[in-house]
Amino acid sequence: MLNTLTSLNNIIMKNKLTIAEIVSNQLEDMIAEGSLQQGDQLPSERILAERLEVSRPTLREAKQILISKGLLKSHQGGGTYVTSSLNSSISDPLMNLLKERPEFKFDILELRHTLDSEAAFLAASRATATEKENIKEKYDIMVGFHLKREDHVASALADINFHLSITEASHNIALLHITRSIYDVLLTSIENNLQYLYTIKGVEKSLTSQHKLILDSIIKGDSEAAKLAAKTHMEFVNKSLSEMNKDKERQERFLHHSSVLSETK
């Protein structure tokens, strides 16, 4: 306790911050790092004040700072929660356009190629044992849906949560928040992609083996292999969708030509 107070006093003297501001910064860090996630309820005032080794009035002041920033919400008699709309920070019209227009799917795939491969690279060297177990759990859930091939919507949710668990394990706050901010766009993209991919015979086996290679590389701590596995997976999806697009275009040209020829007879 004495060491904590001494440390706080040193920070106050150096940066001229109040104890409440320091505590608000600590809570802010927990939110940024994902220790406190959107919708999470903070521990009771008594417990949290004890853990942070500050008075309850100081904690109230710290929470009020974060409430004014829009990071926390307080419910009368119901506790304090992390704001549930944190992941909606990128909400300009372009985001909705990307969700609604399927022709932008390859632009999103290019973005995922960068985000997912970098996340896998970092997670392989930084993931804790608990995070690796979480990635494995998300993988098992995803594989179950992919092998059934019945519900591309549920499969997409499981798929993105697997990749998000890897991003969380990257311990890169900027990468994590960018990914969370465009979560809805990525989810819609994966839903649309799986709807097409599930028409390919045996695709579930290819997807499973690709994801397994990413998982195994992260668990082994092989960053380069994890990055390569993530890139290979995205290239497979890109190539498969490109070929399907070409087939669709050929079919549309054939139908158009057939209709033109029939009209001339």
Side-chain angles (χ1 to χ4, degrees):
M1 177 71 172
L2 183 59
N3 289 336
T4 301
L5 291 176
T6 302
S7 178
L8 287 174
N9 287 329
N10 289 337
I11 296 173
I12 292 169
M13 292 298 292
K14 183 178 180 180
N15 300 307
K16 297 182 179 180
L17 296 175
T18 66
I19 295 178
E21 288 171 331
I22 293 170
V23 172
S24 73
N25 287 341
Q26 291 175 327
L27 293 172
E28 210 170 276
D29 287 343
M30 293 179 192
I31 294 172
E33 293 166 359
S35 301
L36 286 172
Q37 298 189 16
Q38 63 166 348
D40 282 355
Q41 182 177 8
L42 269 61
S44 70
E45 195 173 87
R46 178 184 62 80
I47 293 174
L48 190 54
E50 289 177 358
R51 290 178 182 175
L52 296 174
E53 299 182 340
V54 295
S55 67
R56 292 171 73 170
T58 297
L59 177 61
R60 289 190 203 109
E61 187 179 345
K63 290 196 296 184
Q64 192 57 48
I65 292 172
L66 296 185
I67 289 172
S68 67
K69 289 183 177 182
L71 293 172
L72 294 180
K73 282 189 176 181
S74 183
H75 300 291
Q76 189 67 33
T80 305
Y81 296 79
V82 178
T83 303
S84 59
S85 59
L86 291 180
N87 289 354
S88 306
S89 56
I90 299 180
S91 56
D92 64 68
L94 178 59
M95 292 298 107
N96 289 328
L97 186 63
L98 289 174
K99 282 176 60 179
E100 296 167 1
R101 301 284 290 276
E103 61 264 36
F104 292 127
K105 59 177 172 287
F106 293 107
D107 296 84
I108 298 172
L109 283 174
E110 286 180 359
L111 176 63
R112 285 193 60 203
H113 190 283
T114 301
L115 294 179
D116 289 358
S117 60
E118 189 61 26
F121 177 85
L122 295 174
S125 61
R126 298 176 178 178
T128 64
T130 300
E131 287 169 336
K132 288 179 179 179
E133 183 60 33
N134 180 48
I135 295 171
K136 175 65 167 59
E137 289 176 3
K138 296 295 191 297
Y139 167 82
D140 289 337
I141 293 172
M142 174 186 63
V143 169
F145 281 109
H146 281 331
L147 293 180
K148 290 179 182 177
R149 294 171 58 115
E150 295 173 352
D151 187 344
H152 68 272
V153 176
S155 293
L157 185 60
D159 194 303
I160 194 173
N161 285 337
F162 166 71
H163 288 286
L164 184 59
S165 70
I166 294 173
T167 306
E168 290 170 345
S170 74
H171 296 196
N172 183 303
I173 302 304
L175 184 60
L176 176 60
H177 282 284
I178 288 172
T179 303
R180 283 178 171 170
S181 295
I182 58 173
Y183 181 93
D184 288 345
V185 173
L186 296 177
L187 179 59
T188 301
S189 172
I190 295 174
E191 284 180 15
N192 293 333
N193 293 345
L194 287 177
Q195 187 173 10
Y196 288 108
L197 290 173
Y198 279 175
T199 64
I200 302 174
K201 184 177 181 180
V203 73
E204 72 281 1
K205 295 179 181 177
S206 297
L207 293 175
T208 297
S209 62
Q210 291 162 19
H211 285 124
K212 183 67 162 57
L213 190 55
I214 298 172
L215 171 67
D216 290 344
S217 299
I218 291 173
I219 290 177
K220 291 176 183 175
D222 191 335
S223 294
E224 292 296 341
K227 185 172 187 176
L228 179 59
K231 283 185 174 181
T232 300
H233 168 57
M234 294 313 305
E235 287 167 359
F236 169 82
V237 174
N238 195 316
K239 182 179 179 181
S240 298
L241 293 176
S242 295
E243 290 177 350
M244 294 181 75
N245 258 22
K246 290 177 181 177
D247 288 341
K248 182 180 178 183
E249 289 172 1
R250 278 195 294 270
Q251 184 178 16
E252 288 175 350
R253 284 198 302 271
F254 173 78
L255 292 174
H256 174 69
H257 293 160
S258 297
S259 64
V260 170
L261 289 173
S262 64
E263 289 174 1
T264 60
K265 292 181 179 179

